[in-house]
Amino acid sequence: MPVIVVGADTEVGRAAVDALLPDAAEVRAFVTDPNAIDPLKALGVKVAVGDVSDGSHVGGAALNAFCAVLVQEAATDERERSFANTVKEVIAAWAEGLRDSDVHRTIWVGDVAVGQAGEVLAAATPEFASVPTADRSPDEIAADIARLESSSTV
């Protein structure tokens, strides 16, 4: 089933893409860095470029995906965001985009406690899981993502 990694242009996001490729029927990547496009496409990944703070960009890229992997760093780093000023607003936009695109499972990848972020994201899709990142390598994190994405339930 299709899976999309929002923040695939981060170290953890790229590791997640690599871990998902062997088993996922289709891997999609949502990036803001144009330099990430060609390396991902060379792997057979479908790549969407847009503003991570625009829920319609994220939702359009996620349309009919079964699972969305949301990398916290893409909501909190220094990348340009035109439609949201805070991390909470970015997460709310992601939730709206996922709800509109009919995503079934959300995997949040990060440690930031952003108020009710988990509740907002969990309400957007039928299944929600979280993968902590503190003191873990990108490969360890990616292995957890791949396990959760391939499981029948989270």
Side-chain angles (χ1 to χ4, degrees), residues 29-123:
F30 189 92
V31 301
T32 57
D33 180 1
N35 295 319
I37 298 169
D38 289 338
L40 288 165
K41 281 188 174 182
L43 297 171
V45 175
K46 293 183 177 184
V47 181
V49 181
D51 185 328
V52 294
S53 68
D54 185 338
S56 66
H57 285 189
V58 173
L63 188 63
N64 298 319
F66 175 78
C67 179
V69 177
L70 307 177
V71 180
Q72 167 198 302
E73 185 179 346
T76 60
D77 64 11
E78 296 301 317
R79 71 184 68 214
E80 184 176 336
R81 292 175 195 85
S82 299
F83 297 91
N85 295 316
T86 68
V87 175
K88 287 181 184 181
E89 290 173 345
V90 172
I91 291 168
W94 287 357
E96 180 180 346
L98 297 179
R99 191 177 308 106
D100 291 347
S101 63
D102 229 11
V103 169
H104 184 80
R105 178 179 294 163
T106 300
I107 301 173
W108 171 256
V109 182
D111 295 309
V112 168
V114 186
Q116 299 171 340
E119 292 175 22
V120 170
L121 291 170

